[in-house]
Amino acid sequence: MTGRVNTIAFESAGPTTATLHIHMKTVRLIIAVAIAMSCHHALAQVPGTLRWQAAAPSRIYSTPAVAPDGTIYVASSSSSSSSELSVFSPQGTTNWARSTSGDMMGTWPVLAPDGTIYRALGTGIFDAKHPDGTLSWALWMTSGVYPSSPAIGADGMLYFTIQLNLRVTLFAVRPDGTTNWARVLAGVTATPSSRQRSAPTIGPDGTIYVASSLSQYLFSMRPDGSTNWIFRLRARTYSSPTFGPDGSVYLGSEDGTLYCFDPRGFKKWEFAAGRFVEASPAVSSDGTIYFGSGDGNTYALASNGAKKWAAATGGIAGSPAILADGSILVGSYQSNMLYALSPNGSNLWTFATPQEIITSPTIGPDGTIYICAGSNLYALFGTNAPMTCSWAMSRHDAQQTGRTTQRAIQSISVLPDGNIALNLGLDSGRNYTVECSSDLCQWTELSNFVSDTFTYQFLDLTATNSPQRFYRLVTSP
């Protein structure tokens, strides 16, 4: 490992020793002031200390969404018939706020790469706003209530659920607000008092996963709206599916079970916590799964489902967030505390709020930690950016997109000349490597590129006359 050392060179500005002595005293004074300022700055940035605090018009029910430029978006609701979308600068000042009819309890703002803000309202309205708060478009579903927050596909397609006539329907809506398709989720029947809280998420191959908060089903849906598979749970769930580095699907349940599924639809294992698991797990780069339970604990599980540790944090209703150094943040509605835990489960620091914490922490691009309690948004000093992994925080990332990194070989075809064409599903702006093998043991790199689109056709011009050929697509999480 190499590093660069910054040095400062001083030269005498005059011919006499006295002049040099005066200059050196000045230099020592400057250095002393610089050291004092540096110490004050470091103390002010002790992790977990308050950077600033801002108030929304009413109680915040959403996890903060943070744009790449540091702008923060939160949703609050004063009643079941009204809500507000508030936007704050990275310094905590209010940029703008908009009130509207319909609550946003259990949903959150979602940010697209172009800055568009998507949100869902309890009156059955789903809308898109420009970054300045003006309306781009809105869908009014007069016979439906309680739309979920959307997941945003790599191609910009929006996937969300809504209750229509006491049944749950999954919608695919284009970025311009037109509907691509809608599918009633089979076997799901709601009661008038029920509410769909689980939101869709998108796996690494573009598959859409959605769980029912009204009954006991997990659905795996293709991007064209057809069904891959359905799995029946033992209890209903408010959790949304998340994903491990190998594509495993994780889902919590109201009976206190955390499930792990293979992407093909069979259950790999389950873990029993003491009480309900309401929020989505976070999954680190080494495959460790972190989640909170109503039994008062935060759990860490190995990728095979074995318990690593349990930390007493009080009841948890939100998702954890994982930092680049491996530490974990989780908020408790019982202790009104935000906890920072080490990778072995020991307590690093806590931050107390006057009200219960029912949402999830979000880590901004500069490492600032955002958490909501009551009607307040708190910004805390942090030391690390989010971990680069398959699912670092609520809804995967600070923009709340609900999509893990896309890396899929969608189809393979043999060309007339014997070479092979691979159609790839990608995330724009990421580095990918295409590798091939004849025995699944030795792999050869065929191409390394940064994608500028969500689909790409790669031609293997070395495949002619190969007796057998295996391919894999590799990228960072």
Side-chain angles (χ1 to χ4, degrees), residues 239-250:
S239 176
S240 299
T242 59
F243 309 96
D246 62 352
S248 294
V249 184
Y250 300 103

Side-chain angles (χ1 to χ4, degrees), residues 282-299:
V283 188
S284 70
S285 56
D286 67 358
T288 302
I289 306 111
Y290 300 99
F291 69 97
S293 169
D295 67 1
N297 292 306
T298 296
Y299 291 91

